[in-house]
């Protein structure tokens, strides 16, 4: 299946604003600088569908994008890096938790980690949370254009060991810059919708 069309539907703060059409949802989570918006733009072939910025923490709401008139990509606020107050971060956390715990339409959670670095404690907590609530997890190691080919295996091992990766989850390297991993990731996400 290819992504033929994508459109922004709504930015939500609370459940009363979420779409009510019961379509399947795939959520994207990760640190504020992990590249969620860039990834969404790359796999939908839309440069400005999701807002990107040089300043981490641009996504402050839960953004719903309708894909192929069939399902949603959901861009969640980033964690751990944005230069915002503790109070604002707690507000984002509560908003995300409400969405992630009470959303039966949510099928898969895509966790973005930086391929160059060992996952942070926040990444580990997010992965544990995904598994605790029984979601399918897809781990995407972003910015893979910034590491050497010879480092891929070593970095994959570090990421999987740090997260205590479960065998039923999926892992892929990805680059928004050179589009490496784009086709495989798209297939991975939408093949069984």
């Amino acid at each position: 299946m290819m992504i033929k069309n994508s459109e922004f539907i709504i930015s939500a703060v609370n459940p009363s604003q979420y779409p009510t059409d019961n379509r399947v949802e795939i959520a994207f989570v990760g640190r504020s600088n992990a590249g969620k918006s860039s990834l969404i733009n790359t796999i939908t072939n839309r440069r400005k569908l999701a807002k990107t910025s040089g300043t981490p923490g641009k996504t402050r709401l839960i953004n719903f994008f309708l894909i192929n008139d069939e399902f949603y990509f959901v861009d969640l606020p980033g964690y751990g890096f944005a230069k915002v107050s503790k109070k604002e971060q707690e507000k984002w956390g509560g908003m995300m938790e409400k969405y992630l715990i009470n959303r039966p339409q949510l099928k898969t959670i895509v966790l973005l980690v930086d391929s160059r670095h060992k996952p942070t404690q926040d990444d580990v907590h997010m992965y544990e949370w995904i598994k605790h609530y029984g979601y399918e997890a897809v781990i995407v190691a972003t910015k893979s254009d910034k590491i050497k080919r010879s480092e891929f295996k070593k970095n994959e091992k570090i990421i999987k060991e740090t997260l205590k990766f479960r065998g039923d989850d999926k892992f892929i390297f990805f680059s928004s810059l050179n589009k490496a991993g784009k086709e495989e990731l798209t297939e991975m996400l939408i093949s069984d919708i």
Side-chain angles (χ1 to χ4, degrees), residues 3 7 11 15 18 20 28 31 38 50 71 82 90 125 147 165 170-171 183 188 192:
I3 293 178
E7 61 177 309
S11 289
Y18 301 164
T20 56
F28 295 81
R31 281 172 57 86
S38 297
F71 59 93
E90 283 168 14
H125 287 319
I147 60 173
F165 193 81
K170 296 174 180 137
F171 178 91
E183 305 303 325
M188 209 180 266
D192 54 353

Short mmCIF file of all heavy atoms in Angstrom, two decimals, residues 3 7 11 15 18 20 28 31 38 50 71 82 90 125 147 165 170-171 183 188 192:
data_model
loop_
_atom_site.label_atom_id
_atom_site.label_comp_id
_atom_site.label_asym_id
_atom_site.label_seq_id
_atom_site.Cartn_x
_atom_site.Cartn_y
_atom_site.Cartn_z
N ILE A 3 1.15 5.60 0.33
CA ILE A 3 0.44 6.76 0.87
C ILE A 3 0.19 7.71 -0.29
O ILE A 3 1.12 8.28 -0.84
CB ILE A 3 1.25 7.41 2.01
CG1 ILE A 3 1.32 6.44 3.20
CG2 ILE A 3 0.62 8.74 2.41
CD1 ILE A 3 2.12 6.93 4.38
N GLU A 7 -3.79 14.53 5.03
CA GLU A 7 -4.23 15.88 5.38
C GLU A 7 -4.28 16.06 6.88
O GLU A 7 -4.60 15.14 7.62
CB GLU A 7 -5.59 16.20 4.75
CG GLU A 7 -6.71 15.30 5.19
CD GLU A 7 -8.05 15.68 4.59
OE1 GLU A 7 -8.43 16.86 4.69
OE2 GLU A 7 -8.71 14.78 4.05
N SER A 11 -5.61 19.66 15.80
CA SER A 11 -4.69 19.64 16.93
C SER A 11 -5.55 19.56 18.18
O SER A 11 -6.42 20.41 18.38
CB SER A 11 -3.87 20.93 16.99
OG SER A 11 -2.93 20.96 15.94
N PRO A 15 -9.55 14.66 25.03
CA PRO A 15 -10.28 13.64 24.28
C PRO A 15 -11.53 14.14 23.54
O PRO A 15 -11.87 13.59 22.49
CB PRO A 15 -10.66 12.61 25.36
CG PRO A 15 -9.58 12.74 26.39
CD PRO A 15 -9.24 14.20 26.40
N TYR A 18 -10.67 14.75 19.91
CA TYR A 18 -10.14 13.69 19.04
C TYR A 18 -11.16 13.36 17.95
O TYR A 18 -12.37 13.49 18.16
CB TYR A 18 -9.87 12.40 19.82
CG TYR A 18 -8.89 12.49 20.96
CD1 TYR A 18 -8.83 11.47 21.90
CD2 TYR A 18 -8.01 13.56 21.11
CE1 TYR A 18 -7.94 11.51 22.97
CE2 TYR A 18 -7.12 13.61 22.17
CZ TYR A 18 -7.09 12.58 23.11
OH TYR A 18 -6.21 12.63 24.15
N THR A 20 -13.76 11.25 15.83
CA THR A 20 -14.73 10.29 16.36
C THR A 20 -15.14 9.24 15.34
O THR A 20 -16.15 8.55 15.52
CB THR A 20 -15.99 11.03 16.83
OG1 THR A 20 -16.50 11.80 15.73
CG2 THR A 20 -15.71 11.95 18.00
N PHE A 28 3.18 8.54 16.97
CA PHE A 28 4.63 8.74 16.90
C PHE A 28 5.07 9.46 18.17
O PHE A 28 4.57 10.54 18.49
CB PHE A 28 4.98 9.58 15.67
CG PHE A 28 4.68 8.88 14.38
CD1 PHE A 28 3.38 8.87 13.86
CD2 PHE A 28 5.66 8.20 13.68
CE1 PHE A 28 3.08 8.21 12.68
CE2 PHE A 28 5.37 7.53 12.49
CZ PHE A 28 4.08 7.54 11.99
N ARG A 31 11.84 11.83 21.82
CA ARG A 31 12.37 13.08 22.36
C ARG A 31 12.03 14.24 21.42
O ARG A 31 11.80 14.04 20.23
CB ARG A 31 13.90 12.97 22.51
CG ARG A 31 14.31 12.20 23.75
CD ARG A 31 15.80 11.93 23.77
NE ARG A 31 16.61 13.13 23.70
CZ ARG A 31 16.96 13.87 24.76
NH1 ARG A 31 16.56 13.53 25.95
NH2 ARG A 31 17.71 14.93 24.61
N SER A 38 9.57 15.48 10.87
CA SER A 38 10.32 15.23 9.62
C SER A 38 10.01 13.84 9.08
O SER A 38 9.84 13.65 7.87
CB SER A 38 11.82 15.36 9.85
OG SER A 38 12.14 16.68 10.23
N ALA A 50 3.48 18.10 8.68
CA ALA A 50 3.75 18.28 10.11
C ALA A 50 4.78 19.41 10.24
O ALA A 50 5.74 19.46 9.49
CB ALA A 50 4.29 16.99 10.71
N PHE A 71 -6.87 5.90 7.72
CA PHE A 71 -6.35 5.79 9.08
C PHE A 71 -5.61 7.09 9.42
O PHE A 71 -5.41 7.94 8.57
CB PHE A 71 -5.42 4.58 9.21
CG PHE A 71 -4.25 4.61 8.27
CD1 PHE A 71 -3.03 5.15 8.67
CD2 PHE A 71 -4.36 4.09 6.97
CE1 PHE A 71 -1.95 5.18 7.79
CE2 PHE A 71 -3.28 4.12 6.10
CZ PHE A 71 -2.08 4.66 6.51
N ALA A 82 12.85 19.80 25.17
CA ALA A 82 12.33 21.13 24.86
C ALA A 82 12.59 22.12 25.99
O ALA A 82 12.49 21.79 27.16
CB ALA A 82 10.83 21.04 24.59
N GLU A 90 4.79 18.94 32.30
CA GLU A 90 3.84 18.09 33.02
C GLU A 90 2.48 18.11 32.32
O GLU A 90 1.79 17.09 32.23
CB GLU A 90 3.70 18.55 34.47
CG GLU A 90 4.87 18.10 35.33
CD GLU A 90 4.89 18.78 36.69
OE1 GLU A 90 3.88 19.39 37.09
OE2 GLU A 90 5.95 18.70 37.36
N HIS A 125 11.83 4.60 29.53
CA HIS A 125 10.51 4.67 30.21
C HIS A 125 9.37 4.58 29.19
O HIS A 125 8.39 3.88 29.42
CB HIS A 125 10.37 5.96 31.01
CG HIS A 125 11.19 5.99 32.27
ND1 HIS A 125 11.33 4.90 33.11
CD2 HIS A 125 11.93 6.98 32.82
CE1 HIS A 125 12.10 5.22 34.13
NE2 HIS A 125 12.49 6.47 33.98
N ILE A 147 25.52 8.41 10.71
CA ILE A 147 26.44 7.38 11.21
C ILE A 147 27.01 6.58 10.03
O ILE A 147 26.39 6.49 8.98
CB ILE A 147 25.78 6.43 12.25
CG1 ILE A 147 24.59 5.68 11.65
CG2 ILE A 147 25.39 7.18 13.50
CD1 ILE A 147 24.01 4.61 12.56
N PHE A 165 14.76 -4.67 24.34
CA PHE A 165 13.92 -4.92 23.17
C PHE A 165 13.30 -6.30 23.18
O PHE A 165 13.97 -7.29 23.45
CB PHE A 165 14.83 -4.76 21.93
CG PHE A 165 14.11 -4.68 20.62
CD1 PHE A 165 13.55 -3.50 20.18
CD2 PHE A 165 14.02 -5.80 19.80
CE1 PHE A 165 12.91 -3.42 18.96
CE2 PHE A 165 13.39 -5.73 18.57
CZ PHE A 165 12.83 -4.54 18.15
N LYS A 170 9.40 -4.29 16.15
CA LYS A 170 10.12 -4.08 14.90
C LYS A 170 11.15 -2.96 15.09
O LYS A 170 10.94 -2.05 15.89
CB LYS A 170 9.13 -3.70 13.80
CG LYS A 170 8.15 -4.83 13.52
CD LYS A 170 7.08 -4.41 12.55
CE LYS A 170 6.12 -5.56 12.30
NZ LYS A 170 4.74 -5.17 12.29
N PHE A 171 12.23 -3.05 14.33
CA PHE A 171 13.31 -2.06 14.43
C PHE A 171 13.75 -1.69 13.01
O PHE A 171 13.86 -2.54 12.14
CB PHE A 171 14.51 -2.65 15.19
CG PHE A 171 15.68 -1.71 15.28
CD1 PHE A 171 15.80 -0.85 16.34
CD2 PHE A 171 16.64 -1.68 14.28
CE1 PHE A 171 16.88 0.04 16.41
CE2 PHE A 171 17.72 -0.81 14.34
CZ PHE A 171 17.83 0.05 15.42
N GLU A 183 10.67 3.33 2.42
CA GLU A 183 9.74 2.33 1.86
C GLU A 183 9.46 1.22 2.88
O GLU A 183 8.32 0.83 3.09
CB GLU A 183 10.32 1.70 0.58
CG GLU A 183 10.70 2.69 -0.52
CD GLU A 183 9.55 3.59 -0.95
OE1 GLU A 183 8.40 3.12 -0.98
OE2 GLU A 183 9.81 4.77 -1.25
N MET A 188 5.94 -1.40 6.79
CA MET A 188 5.85 -1.92 8.16
C MET A 188 4.61 -1.36 8.87
O MET A 188 3.90 -2.07 9.58
CB MET A 188 7.13 -1.48 8.90
CG MET A 188 7.59 -2.36 10.00
SD MET A 188 9.10 -1.63 10.72
CE MET A 188 10.37 -2.47 9.81
N ASP A 192 -0.77 -4.05 7.41
CA ASP A 192 -1.92 -4.84 7.91
C ASP A 192 -3.06 -3.98 8.45
O ASP A 192 -3.82 -4.39 9.30
CB ASP A 192 -1.44 -5.85 8.96
CG ASP A 192 -0.65 -5.20 10.09
OD1 ASP A 192 -0.37 -3.99 9.99
OD2 ASP A 192 -0.31 -5.91 11.05
#
